[in-house]
Amino acid sequence: MTTATKPVRVRYAPSPTGDFHVGGARTALFDYLFARHHGGKFILRVEDTDQKRYNPEALKQLLEGLRYLELDWDEGPEVGGDYGPYVQTERLDIYQKYCQQLIDTGHAYRCFCSPERLTAVRQERQKKKLSGGYDRYCRNINPGEAAERVAQGESHTIRLKLPLEGEITVHDAIRGKITFQNTQLEDAILMKSDGIPTYHLAVVIDDYLMKISHVFRGDEWVNSLPLHIYLYQAFGWEPPVIAHLPLILNPTGKGKMSKREGRAPDGTVLPVFVRTFQELGYLPEAMVNYLALLGWSYDDKTEMMTRSELIERFSLERVNAAPANWNYDKLNHLNGQYIRQLSAEDLTDRLLPYLAAAGVKIERDKMLRITPLIQERIETLGDTATKFKFFFVDELPDYDSSELIPKNGDVAMGLAVLQRAGQTLSVVEFTQAKLEIALRADADSLGIKAGQMFQPIRMAVCGQKAAPPLFETLEVLDRETCLKRVRQAIAKLQPPQH
Ligand code: GLU
């Protein structure tokens, strides 16, 4: 392949029209991994020629999303580069020039059809089950007449003149050869009446001028491939290597992954936007690892891979043409594993902003003591404030007082446990080892099992059954908080007598 000798330059070319979806992030990641693997350049280009749908907020979100995933681009908005501008609406004169070239060489023509006529033609053709939406009405207007009509200010678009018969076989680096019948193709619009190019024209010109060696893009563009190849031919340019990435399916395996966020039956959000994953507390390393496995694999077993391993191992040959299923459980599992690998210091520093966002005020030093207790028990950073509320609140949320009654015991036993615990907790040295010895001795002297002793205490101080090991938890919560909560539990179990 001649292109193999060219320097590797890969671009991610999003159209910022809405929220940054993980499908786009997967494309950006494959671009990035491929570029880094080959020591090439990763370029970001903003495709904003659809001005009606363009949204500046979406661009901001996109840049933030790429930064969160640490997909740093070598050229593009905010960093510049030798092939700029990297925003298509800043390149309009370039497209004009090249489009004129296509007209001059007879590869494109001006179309003066009104939108009303085009709509009517499209409907008519659909009814007759004819391919394409345009009947090529203006294709044979002679250039002299066309130039005159333009001079008179008549509104028009510019269309690509495609062969009317025969077929074209294109090569996709993942899917292989694909053949299209020319009769199925439409003389696509290259330039709209307002002088703004369509995606097709701009993408081909930019990929060429920016010396892009490899194009990876969403599967939805595969039918545009013949059109793009004809454009390259019309310009006399060699096309880059082009590959369409496998579709991402819903977790059920049925249908494309949703474009919008839904909710699971239990009410939890099912994120699809990069910012939501970030807000929920997915680590960038877990996201990158997970997204890399959506359509690519290293072998049939390796799942956890660092960024540098992914860069080293990534290859187009191992990108699968078959669709990939999105799997929240797998992502959550990976995220949990990455969380467990962090040092307590690192995890604490990552947790603090999430706690602050949840309204929790806590000193870093205090959090450093809590972190090891929860590290094994969270799947996302955002879990912490809700799952382990009792570490962060003054007053526990209400809970059912029957939970204070020991297994195979009664209210009297629950009260005895809590009263004894109250006495012990007010005098014992507040370290996990001393707490354990003292509370076990209490169980013995009350003549009950250790579990019957600990359950009411855990419930009293945590307000919930799911909690880290008891003695560490007591130690971190400190004497004052534990005593207060035990007293409140006693009151809960023994309503005031009149
Ligand atoms: N702007 C197109 C998109 O957002 C890019 C497609 C391509 O990479 O060529 O999907």
Side-chain angles (χ1 to χ4, degrees), residues 204-223:
V204 166
I205 293 175
D206 286 348
D207 285 342
Y208 172 74
L209 293 180
M210 294 182 182
K211 295 197 164 53
I212 299 305
S213 62
H214 296 75
V215 166
F216 307 127
R217 63 185 173 195
D219 138 283
E220 68 271 26
W221 295 110
V222 72
N223 289 329

Side-chain angles (χ1 to χ4, degrees), residues 21-31 218 245-248 291-292 294-295 324:
H21 192 271
V22 279
R26 195 271 310 257
T27 304
L29 175 65
F30 280 28
D31 288 330
L245 301 180
L247 201 67
I248 305 176
L291 291 174
L294 268 185

Side-chain angles (χ1 to χ4, degrees), residues 11-16 27 45 47 88 199 203 207 215-218 220-221 228:
R11 90 300 194 274
Y12 176 53
S15 300
T27 304
R45 182 175 73 226
E47 303 209 324
Q88 288 189 326
Y199 157 70
V203 80
D207 285 342
V215 166
F216 307 127
R217 63 185 173 195
E220 68 271 26
W221 295 110
H228 294 181

